[in-house]
DNA sequence: GAGGATATCTGACCTAGGTCAGGTAAATGA
DNA sequence: TCATTTACCTGACCTAGGTCAGATATCCTC
């Protein structure tokens, strides 16, 4: 191997992972069903009930999809019926037996995953590395969703966010001591809460909280360490500004801590202006505002 | 996604990487040759000239391998002739045209690799993550080879080793200031130099240098950060002790620095006994010996 | 030098996966 | 209302990949 050549290192990675993925795929064959049918069963089990959707997700020709579907139907694993709203479409769901078969596949891939993870002396580091790779490879599938601040995605982000603040702030961080501990009113029309996800894994968040008729505060901007540099913070801020505008907000404010240097640099670069302290949060050192041009 | 579930995170990784690898594989199809033939051409180009070896490496049936080979032969890309030593065997090599075709595939996969790496804001971190994943997945392919201390593998390891010492020692590290800067005499029978590799990437090394008839010094034990915890240091030490025994050495000594805490713990756990300073190396703080039971 | 082992080749056959040209029935729009 | 579009199905056909049972030539061992 040309030791310093990044392409060679990437190809080594691809080789290692290909053989692992190959083993995973061929382990599905133990259930006496070709891979295509197993993949379709899996996709249906994950809630894809629309055939056209299935087709495009699995990248199948309409004839092939139809045949695979009939195969599963013949085994009694799925049932289809015409869509009530559009008689041409067919709605697909797993039968009782289909659910059992789906669960069997789930257990298979989970156990394979666990075998691999068990091989690692340091599973958290391995998972972090896998996240970083997956985030980079799939960065074009980034999506920003509005969620309830009590949803599991939001709670996960906030937990990670607080843990990171606790690591980075000199004296640690406790939510209860911050000025504004609850995220309950970050719900439209009093605010919003956005989560950035790639392939269903939340990687960043931002909250918005109205403080007046045309004024709101941006809070809890966070991006996972495994997704830094992909422009997620930027996307979140653009989205939250759009949301604010849609509420009729014209002025945004925020506060932040001196330990969060990258954030400070970003705010300055993205048109935020430093202003005087406007609250007594013990963790806040810097204060910014931004006027929105509607 | 069940956010805390490692298996789900692993599967997300597998999905992301599968689609990437799929894209890489299908990019090979642009050269009008099925994947199997392309893989065989690639393996031949990498120096596998023995058909049986090719077969087992690519996991092919003898009939299939023979057919693919004839296909490539028909295209004029490879030439075969009977093995001089064993007339049943055939020796395979690329023709002029085959080399050109091989190079074209090389360029293809390199350019795909570069596209992916360019997508990353921090290519070194991405490569480190890929190395960690590949090392873990392929840890059963670890092999320990004796190499010349001037070989490219050894020089790579030493460079990485010195760089790590420079990061970890309080006042930095300069080879020239160490007591024993050259590795030139770590060659049998005066010593040896071992490199640990997984899939051709060097991940660790250790040197042995005789200091007397039945005494030798262990030097330059290093394991890459992307491969810690896989037991490589242990394997290297076992191998170097075996090598020492084969030279008739009965007593090993070594020195190390207080910053290398894991190493200190390992030496103690593996039967090394702390002894008095035996040299004036400015970087050495601890001194150990171990008697070998032949 | 006979008999068995080994390396490769050949032809017959199979499956999974995929393409394509219609066909049917429902929905849509002028 | 009627032509067009859409969603799905069907049958014919193809390729890549893979298995298997011999056939052939060479090697090894006694």
């Amino acid at each position: 191997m040309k030791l310093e050549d990044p392409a060679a290192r990437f190809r080594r990675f691809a080789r290692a992972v290909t053989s692992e993925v190959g083993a995973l795929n061929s382990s599905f064959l133990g259930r006496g069903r070709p891979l295509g049918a197993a993949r379709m069963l899996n996709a249906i089990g994950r809630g894809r009930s629309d055939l056209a959707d299935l087709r495009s997700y699995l990248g199948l020709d309409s004839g092939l999809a139809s045949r695979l579907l009939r195969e599963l139907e013949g085994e009694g694993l799925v049932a289809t019926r015409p869509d009530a709203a559009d008689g041409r479409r067919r709605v697909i769901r797993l039968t009782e037996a289909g659910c059992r078969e789906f669960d069997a596949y789930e257990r298979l891939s989970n156990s394979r995953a666990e075998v691999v993870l068990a091989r690692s002396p340091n599973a958290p580091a391995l998972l972090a590395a896998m996240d970083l790779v997956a985030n980079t490879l799939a960065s074009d599938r980034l999506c920003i969703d509005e969620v309830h601040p009590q949803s599991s995605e939001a709670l996960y982000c906030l937990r990670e966010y607080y843990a990171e603040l606790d690591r980075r702030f000199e004296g640690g961080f406790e939510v209860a001591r911050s000025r504004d501990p609850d995220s309950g009113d970050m719900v439209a029309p009093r605010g919003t809460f956005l989560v950035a996800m790639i392939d269903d894994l939340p990687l960043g968040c931002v909250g918005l909280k109205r403080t007046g008729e045309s004024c709101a505060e941006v809070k809890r901007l966070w991006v996972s360490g495994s997704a830094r540099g992909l422009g997620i913070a930027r996307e979140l801020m653009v989205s939250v500004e759009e949301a604010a505008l849609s509420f009729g907000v014209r002025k945004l404010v925020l506060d932040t801590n001196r330990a969060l240097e990258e954030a400070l640099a970003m705010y300055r670069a993205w048109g935020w202006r430093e202003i005087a302290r406007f609250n007594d949060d013990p963790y806040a050192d810097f204060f910014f505002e931004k006027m929105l041009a509607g």
Side-chain angles (χ1 to χ4, degrees), chain A:
Chain A
M1 155 156 344
K2 281 155 235 139
L3 305 164
E4 316 294 359
D5 181 0
R9 303 247 301 275
F10 172 84
R11 292 172 63 185
R12 171 177 179 268
F13 165 81
R15 227 171 23 245
V17 147
T18 304
S19 72
E20 186 57 41
V21 166
L24 197 157
N25 283 346
S26 69
S27 82
F28 290 149
L29 270 39
R31 298 197 68 73
R33 197 169 289 109
L35 211 59
R39 290 213 309 149
M40 178 169 269
L41 185 69
N42 181 57
I44 297 169
R46 302 213 115 70
R48 297 188 184 255
S49 59
D50 186 276
L51 183 52
D53 175 37
L54 261 176
R55 237 177 8 226
S56 77
Y57 173 68
L58 296 173
L60 300 173
D61 170 85
S62 103
L64 185 50
S66 172
R67 218 160 315 151
L68 286 174
L69 186 61
R70 236 166 327 112
E71 208 171 296
L72 293 174
E73 219 168 359
E75 289 190 82
L77 301 178
V78 307
T80 68
R81 57 181 167 71
D83 187 340
D86 181 341
R88 294 169 305 180
R89 294 188 123 88
R90 322 207 59 186
V91 180
I92 309 165
R93 59 173 186 75
L94 294 184
T95 61
E96 194 81 0
C99 290
R100 277 197 302 276
E101 200 60 20
F102 173 76
D103 287 342
Y105 279 111
E106 287 288 285
R107 277 195 300 278
L108 249 176
S109 33
N110 281 338
S111 72
R112 271 213 79 87
E114 275 150 22
V115 165
V116 170
L117 293 171
R119 212 182 302 167
S120 167
N122 184 352
L126 179 62
L127 279 174
M130 288 178 165
D131 281 349
L132 196 153
V133 173
N135 293 341
T136 308
L137 293 184
S139 58
D140 50 347
R141 290 200 287 277
L142 174 70
C143 57
I144 309 254
D145 290 353
E146 179 171 13
V147 301
H148 193 280
Q150 301 297 327
S151 66
S152 63
E153 290 85 3
L155 293 175
Y156 170 82
C157 288
L158 292 174
R159 217 157 42 236
E160 294 284 315
Y161 173 58
Y162 298 147
E164 180 170 345
L165 295 187
D166 193 43
R167 276 193 305 275
R168 295 183 61 175
F169 288 2
E170 273 166 41
F173 175 82
E174 275 177 70
V175 205
R177 287 189 55 215
S178 80
R179 189 184 51 89
D180 191 15
D182 82 294
S183 314
D185 47 354
M186 295 182 187
V187 178
R190 296 193 313 289
T192 188
F193 196 87
L194 306 179
V195 168
M197 297 200 279
I198 295 178
D199 289 348
D200 292 338
L201 185 67
L203 295 169
C205 67
V206 68
L208 183 76
K209 200 169 186 170
R210 283 177 86 162
T211 52
E213 182 58 33
S214 68
C215 184
E217 187 172 352
V218 172
K219 310 214 48 131
R220 293 171 177 56
L221 175 67
W222 167 76
V223 173
S224 160
S226 66
R228 301 266 158 87
L230 299 175
I232 293 183
R234 183 75 204 249
E235 298 258 355
L236 282 167
M237 285 305 262
V238 167
S239 300
V240 90
E241 287 181 19
E242 278 168 12
L245 270 174
S246 77
F247 295 145
V249 165
R250 286 289 169 273
K251 188 174 93 172
L252 291 178
V253 296
L254 63 81
D255 65 54
T256 189
N257 184 285
R258 63 179 175 279
L260 306 176
E261 292 156 29
E262 336 78 273
L264 284 169
M266 285 184 204
Y267 296 141
R268 291 188 173 116
W270 296 343
W272 292 75
R273 197 171 63 82
E274 202 168 341
I275 56 173
R277 173 179 283 274
F278 60 78
N279 66 30
D280 57 357
D281 187 314
Y283 296 112
D285 301 314
F286 290 89
F287 299 80
F288 289 89
E289 75 170 16
K290 180 172 187 177
M291 305 305 294
L292 299 181

